[in-house]
C-alpha cells in the first residue's frame, strides 16, 4: 500500500448531500455532436495556456506497455470512453470539450444528470467508426478499449491526428497511486493542473486521515471482496485488479487473498471455506447492489459464514472499488466505518 503525505483532513460532504447539490446544477448542452464546442482554459489565460503546450505524458496500454503522447495544443474535441472519466471532465470544468461519450456503467454519480446530457455514442463500448464520426482530436479512454477488436490501438488514432490519453482500467498492478497518476495526466493535457492537484490533495488528505486513525485498531478483521454480475456464482479479484485491497488494509482490516490467480469464480462453498469476518459486495454495471447483499444474507448455504451470521455485508460501488472515481475518499471512509465502527462512527 502506498503511504500518502499526511495533511489536515477537510470536512467530508456526504454523497447524498453532494448529489442534492449537484442536482441543481444541470448543464444543458446544445448543438449536434459534430459541432465544435468553445474551448475554455480552466486554469489560465489564453496566453499562458499557449505556453503550456506542447505537453508530453507517459501512459500505458492495457497490457502495461509504456507509451508516450505529446499533445501540441489544448484538446477541443474529446471522445470519452468510461463514465468515471466523464465525471472527471465535469469536475474539472472540461465538459464543453466533450463531443461524445461511451461505455456508461450507470453506477452512482453526483453528476448523473449532466452525464445524461452529454452527447452519447453508446452505453456500451462504441465502434471505431462511431468514434471516428465525432472527429476527435483526443480520445480519453479506459485502457481496456485500446485493442484492434475494440476502438483501436493508440497508433491507430495517432495516425488519424488524434492523441490518446489512456486511463488505468484492467491493467494488472493498478493501485491508488495509478489512479492519481491518471488524474495528474488529465490536468497536464488540459492545462487544468490547479484543479486536479487540489482534488488530489483533498483525496490524499482524507485517505491519510483514515490510515492514521486505523493505527489505533486492536484487531484486523478478515474482509472478502465479492464481485458479481448477477450470476449464481461470484467473482474474486486479486489485489492487482482493484483498489479495495488498499482501502481495507489502510482501514485496519485484512484483504483476503484466496488464490494466486488474479481472477477466479467464487462458489458458495469457497466463501464458506474462507469464512470472512466481513464481506464487501459490488456489482458490475449496476447502481444498486442491495439485491446481491440480500441474496448473500439469505443463502442457506452461507448461514454459518461469520460475516453472514453477523450481517456484516457492505455494498460498494463497482467503478470506485475497481477503477477509482471522484468518490474514492468517500469509499475509503465508508469501508473504514464498516471495518472499525468503533474508530469511525457514522456521521
Amino acid at each position: 500500500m502506498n503511504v500518502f503525505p499526511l495533511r489536515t483532513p477537510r470536512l467530508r460532504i456526504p454523497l447524498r448531500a453532494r448529489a442534492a447539490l449537484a442536482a441543481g446544477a444541470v448543464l444543458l448542452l446544445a448543438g449536434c455532436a459534430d459541432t465544435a464546442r468553445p474551448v475554455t482554459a480552466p486554469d489560465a489565460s489564453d496566453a499562458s495556456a499557449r505556453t503550456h503546450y506542447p505537453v508530453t505524458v507517459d501512459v500505458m496500454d492495457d497490457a502495461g506497455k509504456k507509451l508516450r503522447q505529446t499533445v501540441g495544443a489544448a484538446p477541443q474535441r474529446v471522445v470519452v470512453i468510461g463514465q468515471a472519466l466523464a465525471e472527471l471532465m465535469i469536475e474539472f470544468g472540461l465538459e464543453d470539450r466533450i463531443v461524445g461519450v461511451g461505455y456508461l456503467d450507470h453506477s452512482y454519480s453526483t453528476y448523473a444528470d449532466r452525464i445524461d446530457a452529454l452527447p452519447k455514442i453508446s452505453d456500451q463500448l462504441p465502434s471505431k467508426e462511431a468514434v471516428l464520426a465525432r472527429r476527435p482530436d483526443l480520445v480519453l479512454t479506459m485502457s481496456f478499449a485500446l485493442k484492434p477488436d475494440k476502438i483501436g490501438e493508440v497508433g491507430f488514432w495517432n495516425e488519424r491526428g488524434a492523441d490518446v490519453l489512456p486511463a488505468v482500467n484492467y491493467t494488472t498492478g493498478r493501485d491508488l497511486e495509478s489512479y492519481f497518476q491518471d488524474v495528474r495526466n488529465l490536468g497536464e493535457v488540459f492545462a487544468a493542473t490547479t484543479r486536479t492537484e487540489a482534488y488530489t490533495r483533498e483525496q490524499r488528505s482524507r485517505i491519510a486521515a483514515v490510515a492514521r486513525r486505523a493505527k489505533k485498531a486492536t484487531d484486523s478483521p478478515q474482509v472478502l471482496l465479492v464481485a458479481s454480475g448477477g450470476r449464481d456464482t461470484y467473482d474474486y479479484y486479486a489485489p492487482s485488479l482493484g483498489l479495495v485491497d488498499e482501502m481495507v488494509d489502510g482501514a485496519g482490516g485484512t484483504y483476503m487473498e484466496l488464490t494466486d490467480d488474479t481472477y477466479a469464480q467464487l462458489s458458495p462453498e469457497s466463501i464458506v471455506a474462507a469464512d470472512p469476518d466481513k464481506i464487501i459486495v459490488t456489482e458490475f454495471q449496476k447502481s444498486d447492489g442491495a439485491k446481491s447483499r440480500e441474496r448473500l444474507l439469505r443463502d442457506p448455504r452461507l448461514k454459518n459464514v461469520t460475516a453472514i451470521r453477523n450481517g456484516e455485508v457492505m455494498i460498494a460501488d463497482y467503478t470506485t472499488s475497481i477503477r477509482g472515481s471522484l468518490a474514492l475518499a468517500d469509499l475509503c471512509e465508508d469501508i473504514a466505518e464498516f471495518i472499525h465502527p468503533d474508530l469511525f462512527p457514522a456521521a
Side-chain angles (χ1 to χ4, degrees):
M1 177 178 176
N2 292 296
V3 179
F4 300 129
L6 303 183
R7 298 182 176 90
T8 304
R10 301 183 184 181
L11 177 64
R12 173 187 175 189
I13 302 175
L15 281 174
R16 290 185 179 87
R18 290 165 59 192
L21 290 171
V26 177
L27 179 65
L28 300 180
L29 299 177
C32 66
D34 286 341
T35 303
R37 289 172 169 76
V39 178
T40 58
D43 285 352
S45 65
D46 289 343
S48 60
R50 282 194 295 270
T51 64
H52 180 80
Y53 298 96
V55 61
T56 299
V57 292
D58 292 319
V59 295
M60 65 175 64
D61 63 14
D62 197 50
K65 178 183 177 182
K66 292 183 178 180
L67 304 168
R68 177 164 287 187
Q69 291 286 280
T70 298
V71 179
Q76 301 180 40
R77 299 182 60 82
V78 183
V79 166
V80 180
I81 308 297
Q83 178 171 306
L85 298 177
E87 286 183 326
L88 289 176
M89 292 287 285
I90 295 171
E91 174 76 7
F92 302 131
L94 300 165
E95 65 190 296
D96 64 338
R97 318 286 184 94
I98 299 175
V99 296
V101 293
Y103 206 74
L104 305 177
D105 55 30
H106 300 292
S107 57
Y108 174 83
S109 174
T110 58
Y111 292 133
D113 291 336
R114 290 166 73 171
I115 289 171
D116 287 344
L118 293 172
K120 184 170 69 175
I121 305 175
S122 172
D123 277 332
Q124 300 303 315
L125 193 64
S127 65
K128 294 178 189 176
E129 293 74 20
V131 178
L132 280 167
R134 303 298 171 118
R135 298 184 287 109
D137 56 15
L138 179 79
V139 178
L140 173 62
T141 178
M142 297 187 296
S143 59
F144 91 101
L146 294 169
K147 296 177 182 176
D149 61 339
K150 293 185 170 65
I151 70 166
E153 296 176 298
V154 172
F156 172 87
W157 291 103
N158 290 169
E159 290 169 3
R160 287 157 179 79
D163 297 307
V164 179
L165 184 57
V168 170
N169 177 35
Y170 287 107
T171 305
T172 300
R174 67 185 179 276
D175 53 20
L176 293 177
E177 186 55 41
S178 61
Y179 169 75
F180 288 127
Q181 182 62 55
D182 286 340
V183 174
R184 283 194 293 273
N185 286 343
L186 189 76
E188 289 291 339
V189 166
F190 287 95
T193 53
T194 299
R195 293 190 180 194
T196 56
E197 288 174 3
Y199 164 77
T200 299
R201 284 195 301 271
E202 186 262 352
Q203 294 286 296
R204 287 185 184 277
S205 174
R206 291 166 58 187
I207 294 170
V210 167
R212 287 197 301 272
R213 184 175 295 186
K215 290 180 179 179
K216 300 177 182 178
T218 58
D219 63 341
S220 183
Q222 300 282 311
V223 182
L224 178 65
L225 175 67
V226 173
S228 173
R231 302 180 303 275
D232 289 336
T233 56
Y234 296 90
D235 299 328
Y236 164 78
Y237 283 12
S240 61
L241 284 184
L243 307 181
V244 169
D245 62 297
E246 289 182 81
M247 300 183 198
V248 168
D249 293 344
T254 299
Y255 186 86
M256 299 188 75
E257 298 184 44
L258 304 186
T259 173
D260 291 334
D261 297 330
T262 55
Y263 165 86
Q265 287 196 339
L266 287 176
S267 65
E269 291 75 19
S270 61
I271 297 175
V272 171
D275 193 25
D277 298 314
K278 296 173 184 281
I279 293 175
I280 298 175
V281 60
T282 188
E283 283 202 299
F284 176 65
Q285 289 196 339
K286 291 182 182 292
S287 59
D288 183 2
K291 290 184 179 179
S292 283
R293 181 179 188 275
E294 287 303 309
R295 182 154 58 94
L296 277 168
L297 290 172
R298 295 177 183 275
D299 191 332
R301 296 169 296 181
L302 302 178
K303 64 181 181 181
N304 291 323
V305 173
T306 300
I308 301 300
R309 191 171 62 247
N310 296 331
E312 294 287 352
V313 179
M314 171 187 168
I315 302 167
D317 171 68
Y318 182 89
T319 299
T320 311
S321 302
I322 305 304
R323 295 191 289 269
S325 77
L326 286 175
L328 190 68
D330 290 281
L331 184 57
C332 287
E333 292 164 352
D334 291 343
I335 286 176
E337 179 187 323
F338 173 62
I339 294 175
H340 284 297
D342 54 326
L343 294 178
F344 301 91

PDB file of all heavy atoms in Angstrom, residues 33 63 73 119 133 283 285 302 311 320 332 343:
ATOM      1  N   ALA A  33     -23.629  16.703 -32.282  1.00  0.00           N
ATOM      2  CA  ALA A  33     -22.383  16.128 -31.791  1.00  0.00           C
ATOM      3  C   ALA A  33     -21.188  16.556 -32.630  1.00  0.00           C
ATOM      4  O   ALA A  33     -20.071  16.597 -32.147  1.00  0.00           O
ATOM      5  CB  ALA A  33     -22.498  14.604 -31.780  1.00  0.00           C
ATOM      6  N   ALA A  63      -1.983  -3.727 -21.588  1.00  0.00           N
ATOM      7  CA  ALA A  63      -1.009  -4.789 -21.333  1.00  0.00           C
ATOM      8  C   ALA A  63       0.141  -4.308 -20.463  1.00  0.00           C
ATOM      9  O   ALA A  63       1.043  -5.077 -20.138  1.00  0.00           O
ATOM     10  CB  ALA A  63      -0.472  -5.329 -22.657  1.00  0.00           C
ATOM     11  N   ALA A  73      -1.584  21.124 -28.439  1.00  0.00           N
ATOM     12  CA  ALA A  73      -2.469  22.255 -28.120  1.00  0.00           C
ATOM     13  C   ALA A  73      -3.621  21.743 -27.271  1.00  0.00           C
ATOM     14  O   ALA A  73      -3.854  20.532 -27.166  1.00  0.00           O
ATOM     15  CB  ALA A  73      -2.985  22.900 -29.401  1.00  0.00           C
ATOM     16  N   PRO A 119     -23.373  14.308 -25.194  1.00  0.00           N
ATOM     17  CA  PRO A 119     -23.671  13.628 -26.464  1.00  0.00           C
ATOM     18  C   PRO A 119     -23.223  12.166 -26.416  1.00  0.00           C
ATOM     19  O   PRO A 119     -22.032  11.868 -26.439  1.00  0.00           O
ATOM     20  CB  PRO A 119     -22.876  14.432 -27.495  1.00  0.00           C
ATOM     21  CG  PRO A 119     -21.784  15.100 -26.723  1.00  0.00           C
ATOM     22  CD  PRO A 119     -22.345  15.376 -25.361  1.00  0.00           C
ATOM     23  N   ALA A 133     -16.478   9.140 -36.316  1.00  0.00           N
ATOM     24  CA  ALA A 133     -17.505  10.067 -36.802  1.00  0.00           C
ATOM     25  C   ALA A 133     -17.574  11.342 -35.967  1.00  0.00           C
ATOM     26  O   ALA A 133     -18.061  12.371 -36.452  1.00  0.00           O
ATOM     27  CB  ALA A 133     -18.870   9.372 -36.810  1.00  0.00           C
ATOM     28  N   GLU A 283     -21.255  -4.935  -7.723  1.00  0.00           N
ATOM     29  CA  GLU A 283     -21.814  -5.499  -8.943  1.00  0.00           C
ATOM     30  C   GLU A 283     -21.442  -4.659 -10.144  1.00  0.00           C
ATOM     31  O   GLU A 283     -21.612  -3.442 -10.139  1.00  0.00           O
ATOM     32  CB  GLU A 283     -23.340  -5.590  -8.856  1.00  0.00           C
ATOM     33  CG  GLU A 283     -23.843  -6.747  -8.008  1.00  0.00           C
ATOM     34  CD  GLU A 283     -25.268  -7.117  -8.383  1.00  0.00           C
ATOM     35  OE1 GLU A 283     -26.156  -6.273  -8.251  1.00  0.00           O
ATOM     36  OE2 GLU A 283     -25.470  -8.258  -8.815  1.00  0.00           O
ATOM     37  N   GLN A 285     -21.663  -2.777 -13.503  1.00  0.00           N
ATOM     38  CA  GLN A 285     -22.686  -2.044 -14.253  1.00  0.00           C
ATOM     39  C   GLN A 285     -24.056  -2.104 -13.581  1.00  0.00           C
ATOM     40  O   GLN A 285     -25.090  -2.222 -14.227  1.00  0.00           O
ATOM     41  CB  GLN A 285     -22.778  -2.550 -15.693  1.00  0.00           C
ATOM     42  CG  GLN A 285     -21.569  -2.145 -16.519  1.00  0.00           C
ATOM     43  CD  GLN A 285     -21.792  -2.285 -18.004  1.00  0.00           C
ATOM     44  OE1 GLN A 285     -22.666  -3.016 -18.447  1.00  0.00           O
ATOM     45  NE2 GLN A 285     -20.993  -1.594 -18.783  1.00  0.00           N
ATOM     46  N   LEU A 302     -24.819 -20.295   3.116  1.00  0.00           N
ATOM     47  CA  LEU A 302     -23.829 -19.407   3.721  1.00  0.00           C
ATOM     48  C   LEU A 302     -24.148 -19.063   5.170  1.00  0.00           C
ATOM     49  O   LEU A 302     -23.464 -18.235   5.776  1.00  0.00           O
ATOM     50  CB  LEU A 302     -23.737 -18.103   2.909  1.00  0.00           C
ATOM     51  CG  LEU A 302     -23.386 -18.224   1.429  1.00  0.00           C
ATOM     52  CD1 LEU A 302     -23.378 -16.836   0.780  1.00  0.00           C
ATOM     53  CD2 LEU A 302     -22.051 -18.919   1.221  1.00  0.00           C
ATOM     54  N   GLY A 311     -24.453 -10.417   9.833  1.00  0.00           N
ATOM     55  CA  GLY A 311     -24.987  -9.360   8.978  1.00  0.00           C
ATOM     56  C   GLY A 311     -23.947  -8.348   8.539  1.00  0.00           C
ATOM     57  O   GLY A 311     -24.284  -7.201   8.211  1.00  0.00           O
ATOM     58  N   THR A 320     -15.841   2.732  -8.383  1.00  0.00           N
ATOM     59  CA  THR A 320     -14.934   3.270  -7.374  1.00  0.00           C
ATOM     60  C   THR A 320     -14.074   2.167  -6.770  1.00  0.00           C
ATOM     61  O   THR A 320     -12.879   2.368  -6.508  1.00  0.00           O
ATOM     62  CB  THR A 320     -15.731   3.979  -6.273  1.00  0.00           C
ATOM     63  OG1 THR A 320     -16.676   4.867  -6.863  1.00  0.00           O
ATOM     64  CG2 THR A 320     -14.810   4.774  -5.355  1.00  0.00           C
ATOM     65  N   CYS A 332     -13.285   5.035   0.840  1.00  0.00           N
ATOM     66  CA  CYS A 332     -12.280   4.724   1.871  1.00  0.00           C
ATOM     67  C   CYS A 332     -12.857   4.937   3.267  1.00  0.00           C
ATOM     68  O   CYS A 332     -12.678   4.105   4.164  1.00  0.00           O
ATOM     69  CB  CYS A 332     -11.047   5.586   1.685  1.00  0.00           C
ATOM     70  SG  CYS A 332     -10.004   5.133   0.287  1.00  0.00           S
ATOM     71  N   LEU A 343     -13.958   2.985  15.760  1.00  0.00           N
ATOM     72  CA  LEU A 343     -12.991   4.039  15.469  1.00  0.00           C
ATOM     73  C   LEU A 343     -13.537   5.064  14.490  1.00  0.00           C
ATOM     74  O   LEU A 343     -13.086   6.214  14.464  1.00  0.00           O
ATOM     75  CB  LEU A 343     -11.717   3.436  14.879  1.00  0.00           C
ATOM     76  CG  LEU A 343     -10.880   2.534  15.786  1.00  0.00           C
ATOM     77  CD1 LEU A 343      -9.690   1.983  15.026  1.00  0.00           C
ATOM     78  CD2 LEU A 343     -10.411   3.312  17.011  1.00  0.00           C
TER      79      LEU A 343
END
